[in-house]
Amino acid sequence: MTIGVALPAGDTDSAPNLVDELITQTRQAAEAGLKSVWFSQLPLSQDAVAIAALAGREVPGIEIGTSVVPTYPRHPFLVASAAQTAQAATGGRFTLGIGLGSKGFLGPVYGVDYPPPIRHLREYLTVLRRVFAGETVDFAGETITARAPGPSTVAGGGDIPVIVAAMGPQALAVTGELADGTLPYLAGPRALSEVIVPALPDGKRVIAAVPAVVTDDPDAVRALAVEQMAFYGQIPSYRKILDAEGLDHPADLALIGDEKTVAEGIRRYYDAGATDVVLTQTGIRSAEERLRTWAALSSSGS
């Protein structure tokens, strides 16, 4: 059972240099005794794999990952090259987290046809696995063509675990077959124990990404969470997993309160079958609350 955090955590808007700030926060996480840091990827923000490589090289010992890199519209060769570089840079502490993203959100951004998601995921993982295994890749699928003209491995970049942000039954089936585990966001304890964990073979990682803040003003923080997380309730995949939990609003899953409240909430995820918990939005209101939350996470059993 390990506890990690997701970055950015919500308190980087005033930073003069985002890369420097995220490396500083990674160092703070390690000093707090946390075991992993996971970097998010948005269409027009920092490059998650590049940040992971830099932060992991600067901060020894801590696991570094992405949570997550959307596969669309990135070709698997490009992601494999970046991931292997990050693995070499961090001395083998990098985990590649990928996800299908949302057609309704990403389609208009990139203006490229969104592929059939489950077929795309299977083909994407197939190519990644072949690259990471050092095989010659000559693959022609329905959504991906990948023919390597030469070597596709990076010295020092092997043995990369691949985690998928899978929550639906078809995505979980492909993940169980071709990936090392899942990293679901907003899948509560009930959804984990009844939907996600039973769908995966034994030995796969189940990394629950959960919003959490330790604070003396839970009402104010919850109001921020309601405002900032409402978007997810409109995305079909998140709507389904929230319905499986029996919740109306994504913010209903946020662990907000004192140290005991957050620690008890984390324990419910482990009891539901999570192998790891990664706390998100810990700095949704302030750096002070973020650091207080991280200290609480460390003392609760990371």
Side-chain angles (χ1 to χ4, degrees), residues 189-257:
R190 178 180 170 186
L192 278 182
S193 64
E194 295 181 3
V195 177
I196 292 175
V197 173
L200 295 174
D202 292 341
K204 301 291 184 179
R205 288 180 80 177
V206 178
I207 308 171
V210 187
V213 181
V214 173
T215 178
D216 291 326
D217 193 354
D219 291 340
V221 174
R222 189 166 299 280
L224 282 174
V226 168
E227 177 185 349
Q228 296 185 19
M229 297 173 66
F231 164 77
Y232 293 100
Q234 309 304 314
I235 298 175
S237 58
Y238 290 109
R239 184 68 265 159
K240 289 178 181 177
I241 207 68
L242 289 168
D243 290 343
E245 191 70 22
L247 298 177
D248 292 327
H249 198 286
D252 293 337
L253 280 170
L255 306 176
I256 299 172

Side-chain angles (χ1 to χ4, degrees), residues 69-117:
V69 175
T71 58
Y72 163 88
R74 297 166 179 82
H75 193 280
F77 276 171
L78 298 177
V79 172
S81 177
Q84 289 181 96
T85 303
Q87 182 74 317
T90 60
R93 289 178 284 116
F94 176 73
T95 295
L96 175 63
I98 63 172
L100 289 167
S102 166
K103 178 179 181 179
F105 175 61
L106 293 177
V109 171
Y110 293 113
V112 180
D113 288 343
Y114 191 86

Side-chain angles (χ1 to χ4, degrees), residues 75 77 127 136-141 144-150 152:
H75 193 280
F77 276 171
V127 173
T136 299
V137 180
D138 187 356
F139 181 86
I144 293 172
T145 297
R147 295 190 171 98
S152 56

